[in-house]
Amino acid sequence: MGTLKKTLVAVAVLGAGAGVGAALFALVTPGELQKQAMLKEMPEQNPQHRDEVARTQELVLATLQEAAATQENVAWRKNWMVGGSGRSA
């Protein structure tokens, strides 16, 4: 009988904890209007930021393509915008 009581108390405590956690989660979750406002403020929505990210990706891709085509160690370059100015391995 003692084991059954301990089990029921443990289940009740865990259930209460889960209930409190679910209630707190429901309270802090932003509403639909707040979600829309947050999405508008994200940097990815800014056209200038998108252009910068696209340019950075282009530079990284060009560097990777050049590194694949040459024997030079492009990681040693001081300025990644220009080719062939660093040490080679």
Side-chain angles (χ1 to χ4, degrees):
M1 202 60 165
T3 307
L4 179 63
K5 183 177 178 183
K6 284 183 183 180
T7 304
L8 289 176
V9 168
V11 168
V13 168
L14 290 174
V20 168
L24 289 174
F25 183 75
L27 286 175
V28 299
T29 304
E32 190 63 34
L33 293 176
Q34 191 174 3
K35 284 182 190 176
Q36 293 298 327
M38 288 169 36
L39 285 174
K40 287 180 182 177
E41 294 173 6
M42 292 182 72
E44 290 82 10
Q45 299 297 329
N46 184 352
Q48 181 182 2
H49 184 267
R50 279 196 311 253
D51 293 341
E52 290 174 7
V53 169
R55 177 69 179 142
T56 302
Q57 288 176 345
E58 289 172 5
L59 289 172
V60 169
L61 182 60
T63 303
L64 289 174
Q65 287 174 341
E66 184 181 349
T70 161
Q71 292 297 319
E72 179 191 359
N73 186 354
V74 295
W76 287 102
R77 287 189 185 160
K78 300 265 187 245
N79 185 359
W80 288 48
M81 301 290 207
V82 296
S85 64
R87 288 191 319 201
S88 58

